[in-house]
Amino acid sequence: MAGKSASVVAKQLVHTPRNTKDDGQFKTWKPLAPTLRQRRMASRKDLHKGGPVRELTVAKRRTGGRNNTGRITCRHRGGGMKRRIRLVDFKRTEPGPQQVVRLEYDPGRSAHIALIKHMETGKLSYILAPSKLKPGAVVQSYMRVSFEDKTDAAPGGVAPEEETHATEAEAIANLFRPKADLSAELTSKVIVETGNCMPLKMIPIGTKIHNIGLHPFGRAQLARSAGASAQLLYTAATGLAQIKLMSGEVRRVPVDACATIGQVSNAHHKHETLGSAGSRRRRGWRPTVRGTAMNTHDHPHGGGRGKSKGNKHPRSPWGKLAKGGKTRLKTNPLVVRGRPRR
């Protein structure tokens, strides 16, 4: 212990195994300090203990909530530990089987990430880790799957003209085939398992999905946070599919947009309790001052005697209603049914 400061010794004492308890769902601490009594974090005992793959990360440059002129445009930001951004593959265009090497913690998101290695090329990449995905599992992407039968020619060989006529005949026949038959054929060529990525038109109706794109063959944008998922309500060979989000909203998405089977990992994240202000500061958050504690010219709730809000509805420093007030000017035409309002 010689040469170490008192704070370092205290931190090592707090995080020793005898002072923590990890039941596989949450990690709790002995109340050696008042801030540890309510502290509860999601378990990370199954995650990789080392750092990320350096080639799959970039440095994160902080702004402290300021823009290019130095003015604060996003309040309550600043400080925190240094981080590196993990480059997560949200398009999943690489075909072929990929094996899960390990699961890792990502400080830039609430969900965990998985390091996968292509079993043919050896290429490494990061993906969002679905729930119940284990190291050693094999996942695939069907975003670039070929729907044409690439059968080899007969030993005797086929003349180029005959082969061209046969290909054209198959293409013309496919134009007049029922869409249901085409959809069934596409679905039969994929494996619907947790972690596999494919267009919405290949997924059976009622499947739980996440990491959903909003544009054909674009990156995933929906259902990416911890424990998030959506349900596929309708799909077809062409056109728009319908999905139901966890908020209750039902919206249309192109059938060629990507989606991953399963639910996002770390579903217990919403039950975490940091327990101290220092934990928030280490994550890059600064204190929030109440509007009623400010002066009149600083906030609509400021000024007056005592805890008066000036007989105003709760609102932001710029006058936008904060609790239940409508601020949206136009609706999204792709939303079939909006989320339930309180």
Side-chain angles (χ1 to χ4, degrees):
M1 295 291 183
K4 294 184 178 180
S5 63
S7 61
V8 173
V9 174
K11 186 177 293 186
Q12 292 178 350
L13 180 64
V14 166
H15 293 283
T16 53
R18 64 179 181 178
N19 293 326
T20 60
K21 179 183 178 182
D22 194 337
D23 59 359
Q25 292 184 343
F26 296 100
K27 182 178 180 180
T28 55
W29 283 258
K30 273 188 178 181
L32 301 179
T35 57
L36 298 177
R37 187 175 297 276
Q38 304 298 332
R39 184 179 176 86
R40 182 175 64 175
M41 304 297 293
S43 176
R44 300 174 189 166
K45 62 190 305 182
D46 297 330
L47 302 184
H48 176 60
K49 301 300 188 293
V53 179
R54 186 79 177 184
E55 293 74 16
L56 298 178
T57 62
V58 294
K60 182 177 182 180
R61 307 303 181 190
R62 296 183 179 274
T63 61
R66 273 83 171 170
N67 63 1
N68 61 329
T69 63
R71 297 185 179 183
I72 296 178
T73 56
C74 186
R75 302 188 301 159
H76 317 137
R77 299 295 180 92
M81 304 294 291
K82 293 177 65 175
R83 297 178 180 177
R84 291 190 67 84
I85 299 176
R86 277 69 169 171
L87 301 178
V88 180
D89 183 11
F90 286 115
K91 288 191 175 181
R92 299 284 300 274
T93 56
E94 189 75 20
Q98 296 172 310
Q99 189 174 25
V100 179
V101 179
R102 65 195 184 204
L103 303 180
E104 295 186 12
Y105 169 75
D106 188 355
R109 65 186 72 253
S110 57
H112 298 153
I113 58 177
L115 178 66
I116 59 177
K117 181 178 181 180
H118 201 285
M119 301 178 68
E120 298 175 358
T121 62
K123 181 180 178 181
L124 296 175
S125 61
Y126 280 126
I127 63 170
L128 284 188
S131 180
K132 299 181 180 180
L133 187 71
K134 303 295 182 182
V138 177
V139 297
Q140 297 190 51
S141 173
Y142 297 96
M143 292 304 298
R144 288 187 177 179
V145 66
S146 177
F147 305 126
E148 298 179 1
D149 294 330
K150 298 181 179 180
T151 56
D152 297 333
V158 181
E161 296 80 3
E162 296 180 4
E163 185 177 356
T164 304
H165 292 318
T167 305
E168 293 178 354
E170 292 178 0
I172 295 174
N174 287 334
L175 292 176
F176 297 96
R177 289 176 58 187
K179 294 183 178 180
D181 294 347
L182 289 174
S183 179
E185 182 180 348
L186 298 182
T187 306
S188 63
K189 293 187 178 182
V190 301
I191 302 176
V192 183
E193 290 183 354
T194 300
N196 288 356
C197 180
M198 60 196 71
L200 287 171
K201 60 185 177 183
M202 298 185 184
I203 303 177
I205 294 177
T207 306
K208 185 179 290 188
I209 55 178
H210 69 279
N211 222 23
I212 308 164
L214 289 178
H215 306 284
F217 308 105
R219 65 183 179 90
Q221 295 178 258
L222 297 180
R224 300 190 339 188
S225 61
S229 66
Q231 186 179 17
L232 182 61
L233 300 182
Y234 168 78
T235 187
T238 58
L240 299 175
Q242 291 188 13
I243 59 174
K244 182 178 181 180
L245 305 177
M246 293 188 69
S247 62
E249 176 181 303
V250 178
R251 65 165 295 148
R252 300 186 184 95
V253 180
V255 294
D256 290 321
C258 64
T260 306
I261 307 299
Q263 181 183 11
V264 185
S265 57
N266 198 21
H268 296 295
H269 170 77
K270 62 180 181 180
H271 300 299
E272 288 186 350
T273 304
L274 297 181
S276 65
S279 296
R280 291 278 293 174
R281 297 303 295 265
R282 288 190 290 272
R283 285 164 171 78
W285 293 96
R286 299 187 68 244
T288 302
V289 179
R290 294 171 297 118
T292 55
M294 300 182 186
N295 294 324
T296 306
H297 68 281
D298 293 325
H299 200 281
H301 298 168
R305 299 192 178 187
K307 295 185 177 181
S308 171
K309 289 188 295 187
N311 197 24
K312 296 180 180 179
H313 290 287
R315 60 191 65 209
S316 70
W318 303 276
K320 289 281 188 178
L321 294 176
K323 293 185 177 180
K326 293 186 177 181
T327 59
R328 185 168 297 180
L329 300 180
K330 58 182 180 180
T331 59
N332 189 343
L334 294 179
V335 175
V336 179
R337 185 174 70 240
R339 67 181 187 272
R341 307 286 182 170
R342 287 186 296 176

